[in-house]
Amino acid sequence: MTGKPELNEENLRHARVAWDYHLMNHPRRPCDIAIGLGGCDPAVALYAAELYRQGLFPRIVFTGTTSGATAHLLPEGEAVAFRALAVESGVPEAAVLVEQRATNTGQNIQYSREVLDKAGVTVRTAMLICMPYMERRAYAAWSRQWPELEVVCASQPITFDEYLASFDDPHLVIDYMVGDLQRVIEYPRLGFAIEQDAAEDVHTALKHLITAGFDSALLKP
């Protein structure tokens, strides 16, 4: 498909279905650690700092290197940039650990465990802080690949419309939402994540948005 798909009411209606599905709506509660997942949205670091100031966890691990979407925005690396934002927002440097090699969620999990082990930090509960549309995929992956860790997902409290308006390219945000939704559905059979129930309207939304052209973040064939 050439050009960008329309942000018409039908496409946005299906995108809202995907958005609502991605949100786990976990209550915020105290955890042994927070793990901030790298990405293109600095709100992850700022919200992690806010929850730290509320006393919900004593330490934060930021994880992630750069990707094609973030190399020009965060050349120092996603985790490194997020640590700087969190420290500027009042989190003590000693309370922040950085993992700056991971390029995907599986590596976020593996390398975060290694960072915690090296620091001698034992955790039984973790708050995964990420972009709103990553909540369900993060939960499913962590539950499969680190099953003994009890996880709570969190992201900045923001509406779908507000989130789209906060980015220069709302089409790309929907592309990422669609890519993550595809992974939630496909990754269990590949052994990367646990199965998640998805109602028929979620599957319909995925098919519609792909057909409409929101497809740049889909899995490669």
Side-chain angles (χ1 to χ4, degrees):
M1 186 174 206
T2 59
K4 293 183 178 180
E6 291 185 43
L7 293 176
N8 57 38
E9 186 52 44
E10 184 179 15
N11 288 344
L12 290 174
R13 177 172 60 83
H14 286 289
R16 289 187 183 94
V17 171
W19 171 271
D20 290 342
Y21 178 69
H22 282 307
L23 295 174
M24 297 299 296
N25 297 311
H26 288 159
R28 309 296 187 252
R29 61 177 178 80
C31 291
D32 297 329
I33 197 79
I35 300 176
L37 304 186
C40 61
D41 188 357
V44 171
L46 299 176
Y47 192 52
E50 179 182 334
L51 296 179
Y52 173 87
R53 293 194 303 269
Q54 292 177 16
L56 290 181
F57 37 78
R59 294 185 183 88
I60 307 170
V61 177
F62 287 115
T63 171
T65 181
T66 58
S67 67
T70 62
H72 65 295
L73 297 171
L74 307 170
E76 69 273 52
E78 297 161 7
V80 173
F82 283 11
R83 173 180 60 183
L85 286 171
V87 171
E88 289 173 9
S89 298
V91 180
E93 289 188 19
V96 183
L97 299 171
V98 169
E99 181 294 298
Q100 52 187 313
R101 296 182 294 153
T103 62
N104 56 57
T105 304
Q107 291 179 353
N108 289 140
I109 299 168
Q110 176 188 347
Y111 296 156
S112 293
R113 292 186 77 164
E114 291 176 3
V115 165
L116 289 167
D117 288 343
K118 185 175 180 180
V121 178
T122 300
V123 297
R124 287 183 286 274
T125 58
M127 185 175 293
L128 306 180
I129 303 175
C130 57
M131 293 177 285
Y133 61 80
M134 284 185 65
E135 281 195 24
R136 187 171 293 276
R137 181 163 70 89
Y139 174 80
W142 245 269
S143 296
R144 172 66 177 84
Q145 299 182 46
W146 194 348
E148 64 271 27
L149 184 69
E150 184 180 347
V151 295
V152 174
C153 291
S155 60
Q156 66 172 138
I158 190 170
T159 68
F160 170 70
D161 292 325
E162 291 169 340
Y163 197 74
L164 277 192
S166 70
F167 285 85
D168 293 334
D169 187 353
H171 297 84
L172 194 57
V173 175
I174 298 178
D175 280 4
Y176 289 151
M177 286 174 49
V178 170
D180 272 40
L181 180 52
Q182 183 195 38
R183 286 161 175 79
V184 168
I185 292 171
E186 296 294 333
Y187 273 2
R189 67 180 179 83
L190 300 175
F192 298 155
I194 64 169
E195 193 83 34
Q196 297 283 281
D197 290 335
E200 186 59 36
D201 64 339
V202 174
H203 290 278
T204 299
L206 177 61
K207 293 174 184 176
H208 175 91
L209 292 168
I210 292 174
T211 301
F214 295 97
D215 56 8
S216 72
L218 294 177
L219 292 167
K220 304 300 182 187

Coordinates of all heavy atoms in Angstrom, one line a residue, residues 72-144:
H72 N 18.1 7.9 16.2 CA 18.3 9.3 16.0 C 17.8 10.2 17.1 O 18.2 11.3 17.3 CB 17.6 9.7 14.7 CG 16.1 9.6 14.7 ND1 15.4 8.4 14.8 CD2 15.1 10.5 14.7 CE1 14.1 8.6 14.8 NE2 13.9 9.9 14.7
L73 N 16.8 9.6 17.9 CA 16.3 10.4 19.1 C 17.1 10.2 20.3 O 17.3 11.1 21.1 CB 14.8 9.9 19.3 CG 13.8 10.1 18.2 CD1 12.5 9.4 18.6 CD2 13.6 11.6 18.0
L74 N 17.6 8.9 20.5 CA 18.3 8.6 21.8 C 19.6 7.9 21.4 O 19.8 6.7 21.7 CB 17.4 7.7 22.6 CG 16.0 8.2 22.9 CD1 15.2 7.1 23.6 CD2 16.0 9.4 23.8
P75 N 20.5 8.6 20.8 CA 21.8 7.9 20.3 C 22.6 7.3 21.4 O 23.4 6.4 21.2 CB 22.5 9.1 19.6 CG 22.0 10.3 20.2 CD 20.5 10.0 20.5
E76 N 22.4 7.8 22.7 CA 23.1 7.2 23.8 C 22.6 5.9 24.2 O 23.2 5.2 25.1 CB 23.2 8.2 25.0 CG 21.8 8.4 25.7 CD 21.0 9.5 25.0 OE1 20.8 9.5 23.8 OE2 20.5 10.4 25.8
G77 N 21.4 5.5 23.7 CA 20.7 4.3 24.1 C 19.5 4.6 24.9 O 19.5 5.6 25.7
E78 N 18.5 3.8 24.8 CA 17.2 4.0 25.4 C 17.3 4.0 26.9 O 16.9 4.9 27.7 CB 16.2 3.0 24.9 CG 15.9 3.1 23.4 CD 15.3 1.9 22.8 OE1 14.9 1.0 23.6 OE2 15.1 1.9 21.6
A79 N 18.0 2.9 27.5 CA 18.1 2.8 28.9 C 18.9 3.9 29.5 O 18.6 4.4 30.6 CB 18.7 1.4 29.3
V80 N 20.0 4.3 28.9 CA 20.8 5.3 29.4 C 20.1 6.7 29.4 O 20.1 7.4 30.4 CB 22.1 5.5 28.5 CG1 22.9 6.7 28.9 CG2 23.0 4.2 28.7
A81 N 19.3 6.9 28.3 CA 18.5 8.2 28.3 C 17.4 8.2 29.3 O 17.2 9.2 30.0 CB 17.9 8.3 26.9
F82 N 16.8 7.0 29.5 CA 15.7 6.9 30.5 C 16.3 7.1 31.9 O 15.6 7.7 32.8 CB 15.0 5.6 30.4 CG 14.0 5.6 29.2 CD1 14.0 6.5 28.2 CD2 13.1 4.5 29.1 CE1 13.1 6.5 27.2 CE2 12.2 4.4 28.0 CZ 12.2 5.4 27.1
R83 N 17.5 6.6 32.2 CA 18.1 6.8 33.5 C 18.3 8.3 33.7 O 18.0 8.8 34.8 CB 19.4 6.0 33.6 CG 20.1 6.4 34.9 CD 21.5 5.6 35.0 NE 22.4 6.0 34.0 CZ 23.6 5.4 33.8 NH1 24.0 4.5 34.7 NH2 24.3 5.8 32.8
A84 N 18.8 9.0 32.8 CA 19.1 10.4 32.9 C 17.8 11.2 33.2 O 17.7 12.0 34.1 CB 19.7 11.0 31.7
L85 N 16.7 10.8 32.5 CA 15.4 11.5 32.8 C 14.9 11.2 34.2 O 14.4 12.1 34.8 CB 14.4 11.0 31.7 CG 14.5 11.6 30.3 CD1 13.6 10.8 29.4 CD2 14.2 13.0 30.3
A86 N 15.0 9.9 34.6 CA 14.6 9.5 35.9 C 15.3 10.3 37.0 O 14.8 10.8 38.0 CB 14.6 8.0 36.1
V87 N 16.7 10.4 36.8 CA 17.5 11.1 37.8 C 17.1 12.5 37.9 O 17.0 13.1 38.9 CB 19.0 10.8 37.5 CG1 19.9 11.7 38.4 CG2 19.4 9.4 37.7
E88 N 16.9 13.1 36.7 CA 16.5 14.5 36.6 C 15.2 14.7 37.3 O 14.9 15.8 37.8 CB 16.4 15.0 35.2 CG 17.7 15.1 34.5 CD 17.5 15.4 33.0 OE1 16.4 15.7 32.6 OE2 18.5 15.4 32.3
S89 N 14.4 13.7 37.4 CA 13.0 13.7 38.0 C 13.0 13.4 39.5 O 12.0 13.2 40.1 CB 12.0 12.9 37.2 OG 11.9 13.3 35.9
G90 N 14.2 13.2 40.0 CA 14.3 13.0 41.5 C 14.6 11.6 42.0 O 14.7 11.4 43.2
V91 N 14.9 10.7 41.1 CA 15.3 9.3 41.5 C 16.8 9.3 41.8 O 17.6 9.7 40.9 CB 15.0 8.3 40.4 CG1 15.4 6.9 40.9 CG2 13.5 8.3 40.1
P92 N 17.2 8.9 42.9 CA 18.7 8.9 43.2 C 19.4 7.9 42.2 O 18.9 6.9 41.8 CB 18.8 8.3 44.6 CG 17.4 8.5 45.2 CD 16.4 8.4 44.1
E93 N 20.6 8.3 41.8 CA 21.4 7.5 40.9 C 21.6 6.1 41.4 O 21.6 5.1 40.6 CB 22.7 8.2 40.6 CG 22.6 9.5 39.7 CD 24.0 10.0 39.3 OE1 25.0 9.2 39.4 OE2 24.1 11.1 38.9
A94 N 21.8 6.0 42.7 CA 22.0 4.7 43.3 C 20.8 3.8 43.2 O 21.0 2.5 43.4 CB 22.5 4.9 44.8
A95 N 19.7 4.3 42.9 CA 18.5 3.5 42.9 C 18.2 3.0 41.4 O 17.1 2.4 41.2 CB 17.3 4.3 43.4
V96 N 19.0 3.4 40.5 CA 18.8 3.0 39.1 C 19.9 2.1 38.6 O 21.1 2.4 38.7 CB 18.7 4.3 38.2 CG1 18.4 3.9 36.8 CG2 17.7 5.3 38.7
L97 N 19.5 1.0 38.0 CA 20.4 0.1 37.3 C 20.1 0.2 35.8 O 18.9 0.4 35.4 CB 20.1 -1.4 37.8 CG 20.4 -1.6 39.3 CD1 20.0 -3.0 39.6 CD2 21.9 -1.4 39.6
V98 N 21.1 0.0 35.0 CA 20.9 0.1 33.5 C 21.4 -1.2 32.8 O 22.4 -1.7 33.1 CB 21.7 1.3 33.0 CG1 21.8 1.3 31.5 CG2 21.1 2.6 33.5
E99 N 20.5 -1.6 31.9 CA 20.9 -2.7 31.0 C 20.8 -2.2 29.6 O 19.7 -1.8 29.2 CB 19.9 -3.9 31.2 CG 20.1 -5.1 30.4 CD 19.9 -4.8 28.9 OE1 18.8 -4.5 28.5 OE2 20.9 -5.0 28.2
Q100 N 21.9 -2.1 28.9 CA 21.9 -1.3 27.7 C 22.3 -2.2 26.4 O 22.8 -1.6 25.4 CB 22.8 -0.1 27.8 CG 24.2 -0.4 28.2 CD 25.0 0.8 28.5 OE1 25.0 1.8 27.7 NE2 25.7 0.9 29.6
R101 N 22.0 -3.5 26.5 CA 22.3 -4.3 25.3 C 21.0 -4.9 24.6 O 21.1 -5.2 23.4 CB 23.1 -5.5 25.8 CG 24.5 -5.2 26.3 CD 25.2 -6.5 26.7 NE 24.6 -7.2 27.8 CZ 24.7 -8.5 28.0 NH1 25.3 -9.3 27.1 NH2 24.1 -9.1 29.0
A102 N 19.9 -4.9 25.3 CA 18.7 -5.7 24.8 C 18.2 -5.0 23.6 O 18.0 -3.7 23.5 CB 17.7 -5.8 25.9
T103 N 17.8 -5.8 22.6 CA 17.2 -5.3 21.4 C 15.8 -5.8 21.2 O 15.1 -5.4 20.2 CB 18.0 -5.7 20.1 OG1 18.1 -7.1 20.0 CG2 19.5 -5.1 20.2
N104 N 15.3 -6.7 22.1 CA 14.0 -7.2 22.0 C 13.5 -7.6 23.4 O 14.3 -7.6 24.3 CB 13.9 -8.4 21.0 CG 14.9 -9.5 21.4 OD1 14.8 -10.1 22.5 ND2 15.8 -9.9 20.5
T105 N 12.3 -8.0 23.5 CA 11.7 -8.3 24.8 C 12.4 -9.5 25.5 O 12.6 -9.4 26.7 CB 10.2 -8.5 24.7 OG1 9.6 -7.4 24.1 CG2 9.6 -8.7 26.1
G106 N 12.7 -10.5 24.7 CA 13.3 -11.7 25.3 C 14.7 -11.3 25.9 O 15.0 -11.7 27.0
Q107 N 15.4 -10.4 25.3 CA 16.7 -9.9 25.8 C 16.5 -9.0 27.0 O 17.2 -9.0 27.9 CB 17.5 -9.3 24.7 CG 18.0 -10.2 23.7 CD 18.8 -9.6 22.6 OE1 18.9 -8.3 22.5 NE2 19.4 -10.4 21.7
N108 N 15.4 -8.2 26.9 CA 15.0 -7.3 28.1 C 14.9 -8.2 29.4 O 15.4 -7.8 30.4 CB 13.7 -6.6 27.9 CG 13.7 -5.5 26.9 OD1 12.8 -5.4 26.1 ND2 14.8 -4.7 26.9
I109 N 14.3 -9.3 29.2 CA 14.1 -10.2 30.3 C 15.4 -10.9 30.8 O 15.8 -10.8 31.9 CB 13.1 -11.3 30.0 CG1 11.7 -10.7 29.6 CG2 12.9 -12.3 31.1 CD1 10.7 -11.7 29.0
Q110 N 16.1 -11.5 29.8 CA 17.4 -12.2 30.1 C 18.4 -11.2 30.7 O 19.0 -11.5 31.8 CB 17.9 -12.8 28.9 CG 19.3 -13.5 29.0 CD 19.9 -13.9 27.7 OE1 19.2 -14.0 26.7 NE2 21.2 -14.3 27.8
Y111 N 18.6 -10.1 30.1 CA 19.7 -9.2 30.5 C 19.3 -8.5 31.8 O 20.2 -8.2 32.6 CB 20.0 -8.2 29.4 CG 20.6 -8.9 28.2 CD1 20.5 -8.2 26.9 CD2 21.2 -10.1 28.2 CE1 21.0 -8.8 25.8 CE2 21.7 -10.7 27.1 CZ 21.6 -10.0 25.9 OH 22.1 -10.6 24.7
S112 N 18.0 -8.2 32.0 CA 17.6 -7.6 33.3 C 17.9 -8.5 34.5 O 18.3 -8.1 35.5 CB 16.1 -7.2 33.2 OG 15.9 -6.1 32.3
R113 N 17.6 -9.8 34.2 CA 17.9 -10.8 35.3 C 19.4 -10.8 35.6 O 19.8 -10.9 36.8 CB 17.5 -12.2 34.8 CG 16.0 -12.4 34.7 CD 15.6 -13.8 34.4 NE 15.7 -14.7 35.6 CZ 15.1 -15.9 35.7 NH1 14.5 -16.4 34.7 NH2 15.3 -16.5 36.8
E114 N 20.2 -10.7 34.5 CA 21.6 -10.8 34.8 C 22.1 -9.5 35.5 O 23.0 -9.6 36.4 CB 22.4 -10.8 33.4 CG 22.2 -12.2 32.7 CD 22.8 -12.2 31.3 OE1 23.4 -11.2 30.9 OE2 22.6 -13.2 30.6
V115 N 21.6 -8.4 35.2 CA 21.9 -7.1 35.9 C 21.5 -7.2 37.4 O 22.3 -6.9 38.3 CB 21.2 -5.9 35.2 CG1 21.3 -4.7 36.1 CG2 21.9 -5.6 33.9
L116 N 20.3 -7.8 37.6 CA 19.9 -7.9 39.0 C 20.7 -8.9 39.8 O 21.1 -8.7 40.9 CB 18.4 -8.3 39.1 CG 17.4 -7.2 38.6 CD1 16.1 -7.8 38.4 CD2 17.4 -6.1 39.7
D117 N 21.1 -10.0 39.1 CA 21.9 -11.0 39.8 C 23.3 -10.5 40.1 O 23.8 -10.7 41.2 CB 22.0 -12.3 38.9 CG 20.8 -13.1 38.8 OD1 19.9 -12.9 39.7 OD2 20.6 -13.9 37.9
K118 N 23.8 -9.7 39.2 CA 25.2 -9.2 39.4 C 25.2 -8.2 40.5 O 26.1 -8.1 41.3 CB 25.7 -8.5 38.1 CG 27.1 -8.0 38.2 CD 27.5 -7.4 36.8 CE 29.0 -6.9 36.9 NZ 29.4 -6.4 35.6
A119 N 24.1 -7.4 40.7 CA 23.9 -6.5 41.7 C 23.5 -7.1 43.1 O 23.5 -6.4 44.1 CB 22.9 -5.4 41.3
G120 N 23.3 -8.4 43.0 CA 22.9 -9.1 44.3 C 21.5 -8.8 44.7 O 21.2 -8.8 45.9
V121 N 20.6 -8.4 43.8 CA 19.3 -8.0 44.1 C 18.3 -9.2 43.9 O 18.2 -9.6 42.7 CB 18.8 -6.8 43.3 CG1 17.4 -6.4 43.7 CG2 19.7 -5.6 43.6
T122 N 17.7 -9.7 44.9 CA 16.7 -10.7 44.8 C 15.3 -10.1 44.7 O 14.9 -9.3 45.5 CB 16.8 -11.7 46.0 OG1 18.1 -12.2 46.0 CG2 15.7 -12.8 45.8
V123 N 14.5 -10.5 43.7 CA 13.2 -10.0 43.5 C 12.2 -11.1 43.3 O 12.5 -12.2 42.7 CB 13.1 -9.0 42.3 CG1 14.0 -7.8 42.5 CG2 13.5 -9.7 41.0
R124 N 11.0 -10.9 43.9 CA 9.9 -11.8 43.7 C 8.7 -11.2 42.9 O 7.9 -11.8 42.4 CB 9.4 -12.4 45.0 CG 10.4 -13.4 45.6 CD 9.9 -14.0 46.9 NE 10.0 -13.0 48.0 CZ 11.0 -12.8 48.8 NH1 12.1 -13.5 48.5 NH2 11.1 -11.9 49.7
T125 N 8.7 -9.8 43.0 CA 7.6 -9.1 42.3 C 8.3 -7.9 41.6 O 9.3 -7.4 42.0 CB 6.6 -8.5 43.3 OG1 7.3 -7.6 44.3 CG2 5.9 -9.6 44.1
A126 N 7.7 -7.6 40.4 CA 8.2 -6.5 39.6 C 7.1 -5.8 38.9 O 6.1 -6.3 38.5 CB 9.2 -7.1 38.5
M127 N 7.3 -4.5 38.8 CA 6.4 -3.6 38.0 C 7.0 -3.3 36.7 O 8.1 -2.7 36.6 CB 6.0 -2.3 38.8 CG 5.0 -1.5 38.1 SD 4.5 0.0 39.0 CE 3.7 -0.8 40.4
L128 N 6.4 -3.8 35.6 CA 6.9 -3.6 34.3 C 6.3 -2.2 33.8 O 5.1 -2.1 33.7 CB 6.5 -4.7 33.3 CG 6.9 -6.1 33.8 CD1 6.4 -7.1 32.7 CD2 8.4 -6.2 34.0
I129 N 7.1 -1.3 33.6 CA 6.6 0.0 33.1 C 7.0 0.2 31.7 O 8.2 0.1 31.3 CB 7.2 1.2 34.0 CG1 6.9 0.9 35.5 CG2 6.7 2.5 33.6 CD1 7.5 1.9 36.4
C130 N 6.0 0.5 30.8 CA 6.3 0.5 29.4 C 5.3 1.5 28.7 O 4.5 2.1 29.4 CB 6.1 -0.9 28.8 SG 4.6 -1.7 29.2
M131 N 5.3 1.5 27.4 CA 4.3 2.3 26.7 C 3.0 1.5 26.8 O 3.0 0.3 26.9 CB 4.8 2.4 25.2 CG 6.0 3.3 25.1 SD 6.6 3.4 23.4 CE 7.4 1.8 23.2
P132 N 1.9 2.3 26.8 CA 0.6 1.7 27.0 C 0.3 0.5 26.1 O -0.2 -0.6 26.6 CB -0.4 2.8 26.8 CG 0.3 4.0 27.1 CD 1.7 3.8 26.6
Y133 N 0.6 0.5 24.9 CA 0.3 -0.5 23.9 C 1.3 -1.7 24.1 O 1.1 -2.7 23.4 CB 0.3 -0.1 22.5 CG 1.6 0.5 22.0 CD1 2.6 -0.3 21.6 CD2 1.8 1.9 21.9 CE1 3.8 0.2 21.1 CE2 3.0 2.4 21.4 CZ 4.0 1.5 21.0 OH 5.2 2.1 20.6
M134 N 2.2 -1.6 25.0 CA 3.2 -2.8 25.2 C 2.8 -3.6 26.4 O 3.4 -4.6 26.7 CB 4.6 -2.3 25.4 CG 5.3 -1.8 24.1 SD 7.0 -1.4 24.4 CE 7.7 -3.0 24.9
E135 N 1.8 -3.1 27.2 CA 1.5 -3.8 28.5 C 1.3 -5.3 28.3 O 1.9 -6.1 29.0 CB 0.4 -3.1 29.2 CG 0.7 -1.8 29.9 CD -0.4 -1.4 30.9 OE1 -1.2 -2.3 31.3 OE2 -0.5 -0.2 31.2
R136 N 0.3 -5.6 27.5 CA -0.1 -7.1 27.4 C 1.0 -7.9 26.9 O 1.3 -9.0 27.3 CB -1.3 -7.2 26.6 CG -1.9 -8.6 26.6 CD -3.3 -8.7 25.9 NE -4.3 -8.0 26.7 CZ -5.0 -8.5 27.7 NH1 -4.7 -9.7 28.1 NH2 -5.9 -7.8 28.3
R137 N 1.8 -7.4 25.9 CA 2.9 -8.2 25.3 C 4.0 -8.4 26.4 O 4.5 -9.5 26.5 CB 3.4 -7.6 24.1 CG 4.6 -8.4 23.4 CD 4.8 -8.0 22.0 NE 5.4 -6.7 21.9 CZ 6.8 -6.4 21.9 NH1 7.6 -7.4 22.1 NH2 7.2 -5.2 21.8
A138 N 4.3 -7.4 27.1 CA 5.3 -7.5 28.2 C 4.8 -8.5 29.2 O 5.6 -9.4 29.6 CB 5.5 -6.1 28.8
Y139 N 3.6 -8.4 29.6 CA 3.1 -9.3 30.6 C 3.1 -10.8 30.1 O 3.6 -11.7 30.9 CB 1.6 -9.0 30.9 CG 0.9 -10.0 31.9 CD1 1.2 -10.0 33.2 CD2 0.1 -11.0 31.3 CE1 0.5 -10.9 34.1 CE2 -0.5 -11.9 32.2 CZ -0.3 -11.8 33.5 OH -0.9 -12.8 34.4
A140 N 2.7 -11.0 28.9 CA 2.7 -12.4 28.3 C 4.1 -12.9 28.2 O 4.4 -14.1 28.5 CB 2.0 -12.4 27.0
A141 N 5.1 -12.1 27.8 CA 6.5 -12.5 27.6 C 7.1 -12.8 29.0 O 7.8 -13.9 29.1 CB 7.3 -11.5 26.8
W142 N 7.0 -11.9 29.9 CA 7.6 -12.1 31.2 C 7.0 -13.4 31.9 O 7.7 -14.1 32.5 CB 7.4 -10.9 32.1 CG 8.7 -10.2 32.4 CD1 9.5 -10.4 33.5 CD2 9.3 -9.2 31.7 NE1 10.6 -9.6 33.5 CE2 10.5 -8.8 32.3 CE3 9.0 -8.6 30.5 CZ2 11.4 -7.9 31.9 CZ3 9.9 -7.6 30.0 CH2 11.1 -7.3 30.7
S143 N 5.7 -13.5 31.8 CA 5.0 -14.7 32.4 C 5.5 -16.0 31.8 O 5.5 -17.0 32.5 CB 3.5 -14.6 32.2 OG 3.0 -13.4 32.9
R144 N 5.9 -16.0 30.6 CA 6.4 -17.2 30.0 C 7.9 -17.4 30.3 O 8.4 -18.5 30.6 CB 6.2 -17.1 28.4 CG 6.9 -18.3 27.6 CD 6.2 -19.6 27.9 NE 6.8 -20.7 27.1 CZ 7.9 -21.3 27.4 NH1 8.6 -21.0 28.5 NH2 8.4 -22.3 26.6

